[in-house]
Amino acid sequence: MGSGLICHFVLVFLLTIVSAKIAPLYTEECRTGMYPPRGPTFKGAVTWYTVDLDLPPSKRWTGVISDKKADLVTMIQAIKDLADSFVPSGKLIELVDRDLPLIVNTLPYPFNEEIKGIAKDSGVPLGEVILFNIFYEVFTVCTSLVAEDADGNLFHGRNLDFGLFMGWDLKNKTWTITEKLKPLVVNVDFTRNNRTVFKSTNFAGYVGMLTGIRPHTFTLTMNERFSLDGGYIGILEWILGKRDGMWMSFLTRSVLENATSYEEAKNRLAQTKLLAPAYFILGGNQTGQGCVITRSRVLSLDIWELERKLGRWYVLETNYDHWKEPLFLDDRRTPAMRCMNQTMQANISIKTIYNVLSTKPVLNKLTTYTTLMDVSKGRLESYIRDCPSPCSPW
Ligand SMILES: *[C@@H]1O[C@H](CO)[C@@H](O)[C@H](O)[C@H]1NC(C)=O
Ligand SMILES: *[C@@H]1O[C@H](CO)[C@@H](O)[C@H](O)[C@H]1NC(C)=O
Ligand SMILES: *[C@@H]1O[C@H](CO)[C@@H](O)[C@H](O)[C@H]1NC(C)=O
Ligand SMILES: *[C@@H]1O[C@H](CO)[C@@H](O)[C@H](O)[C@H]1NC(C)=O
Ligand SMILES: *[C@@H]1O[C@H](CO)[C@@H](O)[C@H](O)[C@H]1NC(C)=O
Ligand SMILES: *[C@@H]1O[C@H](CO)[C@@H](O)[C@H](O)[C@H]1NC(C)=O
């Protein structure tokens, strides 16, 4: 399956470059005046839901799923069609339906129970809900940043870019899976005793976390880190029975739910053994608390922190180690940093961060949503995005 998959992606990659006839990185001047979100790059608002952590895990997502069932079924059908397009005959989905349910009870609590509840509430076969939950552990290419203003307030912004190489629609110049994902974006308020514990921007049907805030304490996002030791290997090992690492998005969820300080969050993110490499972007609640943690599966390779004395008032991560050059075909870091530098620390705010995240190619055809977080106000807001042509495919 591995090499077939890779061949498929290489093929789609080449087809995309050749047939899309767009420069891979369409670049523009730094945007201004984009906030409040409106116009062609703003596709819609995100609905809020409450998930009550006092309920048994299998009942927590019932409200979300009852609203989003139809969109989830459409999305999973799109994944199946994609699978059929490179392993025709339906064999792959047969395997997913037959064999993946066997691993559900190897997943840690409460994720196993929540996934079973989602399958039951949506009527989607359990194996396919598990596949949907594995899906985001690979191929999320994003931009995340934490910035400190002149008064020491911390802001955290991110674009979630997903669906690379997953079905390019030639006519509409869109990624099939990216488009199907947009209706599934939800904001969730996780509560205990009727009080907010943390909030996140999420995909309905997905129990891990990629973006979230623990109000007044810390903010957290996760970006994929490509590596030879990455992606499939750890996940495949898990399925085959070697289960000593943690799923990355389960760790972020667990940290958001249970870590009570920036330091505790940082230590857990740096030290927990993982299934695949990752970048964790973490912001705290006071001056100097912001970092990018670069992870291999077993250890933290680097923690890059805000440093007022060095004039480092923001840290920004796409999908490349910060001490290396990004891949020239995929340099969203330089344009994003150029716009941050132009904005200057004195002007940094939710508004100006939205400008940076709205500038192509930081905004691109994969961008599903933008989330903005202000830790001291306990605020999280998110927006569904569109990138009208001309626009970079990634
Ligand atoms: C392409 O865009 C048209 C018009 O916006 C829409 O009706 C159609 O469903 C889109 N096609 C796909 C495959 O998304
Ligand atoms: C939470 O609030 C609802 C009404 O808003 C109430 O019915 C319920 O008992 C409360 N639960 C707890 C644990 O306080
Ligand atoms: C958080 O901690 C509680 C209490 O120990 C535990 O029941 C819960 O499963 C934990 N949550 C996650 C996501 O690990
Ligand atoms: C920052 O977080 C710590 C917990 O780590 C908390 O004790 C403190 O009150 C928070 N500070 C602010 C200003 O919210
Ligand atoms: C932005 O500013 C930082 C700090 O001065 C500098 O290291 C970096 O090269 C600048 N990047 C761009 C793209 O302007
Ligand atoms: C930054 O703020 C200064 C003064 O407040 C203003 O003159 C300038 O236009 C602002 N720049 C941007 C990029 O918003």
Side-chain angles (χ1 to χ4, degrees):
M1 176 175 119
S3 67
L5 204 62
I6 290 165
C7 283
H8 173 80
F9 287 135
V10 170
L11 194 65
V12 176
F13 176 79
L14 292 175
L15 274 175
T16 307
I17 292 181
V18 172
S19 61
K21 292 205 193 77
I22 6 183
L25 282 186
Y26 178 83
T27 303
E28 62 184 7
E29 286 301 302
C30 297
R31 291 278 186 156
T32 56
M34 299 295 286
Y35 192 96
R38 63 192 178 281
T41 67
F42 170 55
K43 197 183 167 84
V46 178
T47 312
W48 278 97
Y49 292 87
T50 298
V51 166
D52 181 356
L53 295 169
D54 293 322
L55 288 175
S58 64
K59 301 260 192 309
R60 288 176 186 167
W61 294 95
T62 302
V64 175
I65 296 303
S66 91
D67 271 15
K68 294 290 182 180
K69 196 190 307 195
D71 294 321
L72 184 60
V73 168
T74 307
M75 171 70 185
I76 288 180
Q77 188 56 50
I79 300 178
K80 288 201 226 179
D81 292 345
L82 193 71
D84 274 343
S85 75
F86 63 91
V87 185
S89 79
K91 276 276 181 327
L92 206 57
I93 290 300
E94 212 179 284
L95 213 69
V96 165
D97 285 339
R98 198 189 61 209
D99 293 343
L100 268 191
L102 303 176
I103 75 159
V104 77
N105 287 320
T106 71
L107 299 177
Y109 179 92
F111 304 102
N112 51 357
E113 294 299 319
E114 289 186 14
I115 286 175
K116 284 192 237 173
I118 289 167
K120 188 155 166 290
D121 290 338
S122 64
V124 172
L126 181 57
E128 296 172 23
V129 177
I130 297 171
L131 179 68
F132 182 73
N133 272 274
I134 291 177
F135 215 53
Y136 305 99
E137 300 278 334
V138 286
F139 292 114
T140 359
V141 294
C142 317
T143 303
S144 288
L145 64 93
V146 175
E148 180 174 326
D149 73 9
D151 301 325
N153 297 310
L154 289 157
F155 302 100
H156 192 149
R158 84 111 87 240
N159 277 356
L160 191 290
D161 301 349
F162 186 82
L164 186 58
F165 306 152
M166 297 190 183
W168 178 250
D169 178 346
L170 269 177
K171 212 167 73 228
N172 288 6
K173 296 203 167 58
T174 54
W175 295 100
T176 311
I177 297 291
T178 311
E179 294 311 302
K180 296 279 191 296
L181 207 47
K182 290 177 184 177
L184 289 176
V185 178
V186 291
N187 285 332
V188 184
D189 186 351
F190 289 84
T191 63
R192 269 189 211 121
N193 300 320
N194 277 352
R195 294 186 53 197
T196 298
V197 179
F198 68 105
K199 299 191 269 194
S200 91
T201 308
N202 215 341
F203 299 120
Y206 183 60
V207 300
M209 297 291 131
L210 302 170
T211 305
I213 180 170
R214 190 153 169 121
H216 311 291
T217 313
F218 62 83
T219 53
L220 174 60
T221 58
M222 183 181 91
N223 291 2
E224 161 148 28
R225 179 168 178 258
F226 303 100
S227 150
L228 285 179
D229 180 33
Y232 304 112
I233 298 171
I235 291 167
L236 219 55
E237 281 179 2
W238 184 285
I239 292 169
L240 297 176
K242 180 167 178 267
R243 301 188 177 120
D244 59 348
M246 182 116 169
W247 296 77
M248 291 77 67
S249 65
F250 292 174
L251 176 60
T252 37
R253 157 87 183 265
S254 175
V255 164
L256 281 161
E257 196 169 311
N258 286 331
T260 55
S261 71
Y262 172 77
E263 289 302 333
E264 184 186 348
K266 187 160 106 180
N267 290 337
R268 287 190 59 190
L269 294 167
Q271 288 164 14
T272 308
K273 194 169 174 194
L274 298 174
L275 284 194
Y279 300 105
F280 296 115
I281 301 87
L282 180 68
N285 68 3
Q286 47 203 284
T287 176
Q289 291 185 336
C291 64
V292 174
I293 302 170
T294 302
R295 282 294 315 262
S296 77
R297 289 173 65 184
V298 287
L299 47 95
S300 157
L301 300 177
D302 180 76
I303 300 182
W304 189 40
E305 303 196 69
L306 294 177
E307 188 62 72
R308 204 166 251 252
K309 286 193 291 277
L310 300 178
R312 194 188 298 137
W313 57 275
Y314 69 89
V315 285
L316 186 147
E317 178 57 50
T318 58
N319 301 92
Y320 302 92
D321 297 345
H322 71 85
W323 61 93
K324 291 183 189 155
E325 288 299 310
L327 184 67
F328 74 101
L329 267 175
D330 180 34
D331 184 7
R332 284 161 286 120
R333 186 210 289 168
T334 307
M337 288 183 70
R338 186 168 50 86
C339 295
M340 287 299 283
N341 290 359
Q342 253 178 53
T343 305
M344 298 187 295
Q345 186 176 23
N347 294 326
I348 210 69
S349 66
I350 290 290
K351 278 184 202 177
T352 50
I353 289 174
Y354 189 78
N355 288 335
V356 174
L357 294 174
S358 300
T359 301
K360 299 168 186 176
V362 182
L363 180 77
N364 58 68
K365 293 281 186 187
L366 291 168
T367 306
T368 309
Y369 66 76
T370 297
T371 292
L372 305 168
M373 296 180 279
D374 177 341
V375 71
S376 54
K377 293 204 171 72
R379 182 164 121 194
L380 174 148
E381 52 189 63
S382 62
Y383 305 95
I384 316 270
R385 304 308 300 269
D386 243 346
C387 192
S389 302
C391 172
S392 167
W394 54 80

